[in-house]
Amino acid sequence: MATEVEAWTTALEQDGPFGSGDADKPYDDDDILNEAEVNGNWTPQEKALHEARLKAKAKRRLRRTSSRDSTRESLSEAGAEQAGDPTSPKGKVGTNDRKSRMGKGRGLPKKGGAGGKGVWGAAGMVYEMEEPDAKDPNYDEIAQGETVYATVVPELDERELEKTVNPIVQEYFEHGDTKEVQMLLEGLNLGHRKFNVSSLAVSLSLEGKASHRELTSRLLSDMVGKVLTETEMARAFDKMLKDLPDLILDTPEAPQMLGQFIARAIADHVLPMGFLDHYKGKVDCDNARAALNRAAVLLSMKKEMVRLDNVWGVGGGQRPVKHLIKEMNLLLKEYLVSGDVTEAEHCLRDLEVPHFHHELVYEAVVMVLESTGDTAVRMMTKLLKAFWETGLITLDQMNRGFQRVYDELPEISLDVPLANTMMETFLDLCYQESVITKQLRDACPTRGRKRFVSEGDGGLIKH
């Protein structure tokens, strides 16, 4: 038994773990095992192991034989091509050949010859007419005929509309040019939200000054028929009537102001004449009812006027100079009667003419020169000091007002002989209260005095 195991082990060492399969060996492991079988000493396990080894060895031999044959064939084909045309690039080993060099497959090109780099498709394939691509390097724009370029502006949504229109309206409050606003709005794609332009303009003016509301009324009048229709204007005011509860939070006087806007719009033919009749008996909101009543009252009072031009007053630089001078004179006279500095300051701010405040200084100084007593001097000094401390009247406006009085002082002296004396007294008091500078006080012209005939002079005029 030991002899059989030793013989079997020796056979395994000679064959190796995978078997060499060389034909020139003098002895084969099958011969050793067959010899053991002849002796009749095999166990069932050894017999099964012997059969498995025979099958594995047969498979290895078959695999080695097939690979050798395929390699030999491919090398013979390559040699034949080289012999045919040694100068041709195809004479080299087929590096660009699409056929498999692994000896597998049928040797046909992939995708039937329609695939691979630089291939335009299979033979016989018909291509349809394709549209020219502008990104094609060979694209010829002139050969394509007339080209039409169109700018597509996307429609603004509600948030973008508000973000775009608000700066336009705020800028309009500064320059007051309605044509520029129309030009800017025409460049926008407002779509079906076009009516929101007028509602946004009115909402912004409610938070601003009276001059802003006057400019907004003019803007609505100029836009109707060009940018917006009467129907769209009516839709905008209807929206504002519904939004009055929210507008009151920022502007408590919103119902009265909106009523004035409606009355002015109807008078300017921005809204149809029957706009108010449409709401009779159909309004439940108290704020909207107050606005409509305010508009009805204004229209009934001014029904014979073509326009309600003064519904907002005339604001700022739009007012005539004579009107501003009249308002300032009235302001100073009321102050001399009441002595209310706060009310005078409020009235001056409402005029909205900071560039014309030098006129107030001029009128105040002239009133002091024409007055009798010290009351006007003290009150005007107090008023000018209050305006100076609050910054309502700037240094430049203060200097210009006093300088105008200096220039006209000779003419004023013809009507008020004591104008020079009173002027010096008023200047000293203003300088003590820090209303004017020392330089401005010293700039006041002085009149040369003449000594006339008096007793003991011998009738001679002394200079």
Side-chain angles (χ1 to χ4, degrees), residues 387-455:
F387 288 167
W388 169 256
E389 290 178 347
T390 57
L392 186 58
I393 296 180
T394 62
L395 177 63
D396 177 66
Q397 295 294 316
M398 189 74 72
N399 292 340
R400 289 181 63 184
F402 275 95
Q403 191 63 46
R404 287 179 58 191
V405 179
Y406 293 168
D407 296 340
E408 298 180 10
L409 192 57
E411 298 180 3
I412 297 175
S413 299
L414 298 177
D415 299 328
V416 184
L418 298 178
N420 289 82
T421 304
M422 296 187 66
M423 187 68 182
E424 292 177 359
T425 304
F426 183 63
L427 288 174
D428 291 337
L429 186 58
C430 289
Y431 177 70
Q432 293 175 5
E433 297 293 335
S434 301
V435 177
I436 62 175
T437 61
K438 183 177 182 300
Q439 183 180 2
L440 182 61
R441 184 196 66 175
D442 297 340
C444 178
T446 57
R447 184 182 64 177
R449 295 183 178 180
K450 292 184 180 181
R451 294 181 61 188
F452 293 93
V453 178
S454 61
E455 295 181 0

Side-chain angles (χ1 to χ4, degrees), residues 20-22 61-75:
S20 59
D22 295 338
R61 288 178 177 175
L62 179 61
R63 190 179 302 117
R64 284 195 295 269
T65 304
S66 61
S67 63
R68 289 174 182 173
D69 295 342
S70 60
T71 303
R72 190 178 299 110
E73 291 176 0
S74 60
L75 291 175

Side-chain angles (χ1 to χ4, degrees), residues 188-240:
L188 302 176
N189 186 3
L190 302 176
H192 62 282
R193 298 184 181 87
K194 189 183 298 184
F195 69 95
N196 284 333
V197 174
S198 54
S199 62
L200 287 174
V202 173
S203 300
L204 289 175
S205 65
L206 292 179
E207 302 174 1
K209 306 176 183 178
S211 59
H212 295 169
R213 293 187 281 276
E214 172 66 24
L215 290 172
T216 303
S217 294
R218 295 184 181 184
L219 178 63
L220 298 181
S221 177
D222 291 345
M223 285 197 307
V224 67
K226 299 177 182 178
V227 180
L228 301 173
T229 62
E230 286 190 1
T231 305
E232 291 171 336
M233 286 289 187
R235 185 180 176 185
F237 277 97
D238 181 70
K239 179 178 181 295
M240 285 185 284

Side-chain angles (χ1 to χ4, degrees), residues 98 107-125 127:
R98 293 194 211 101
L108 299 177
K110 295 184 293 183
K111 300 181 181 179
K117 183 178 180 181
V119 178
W120 289 9
M125 182 179 295
Y127 293 94

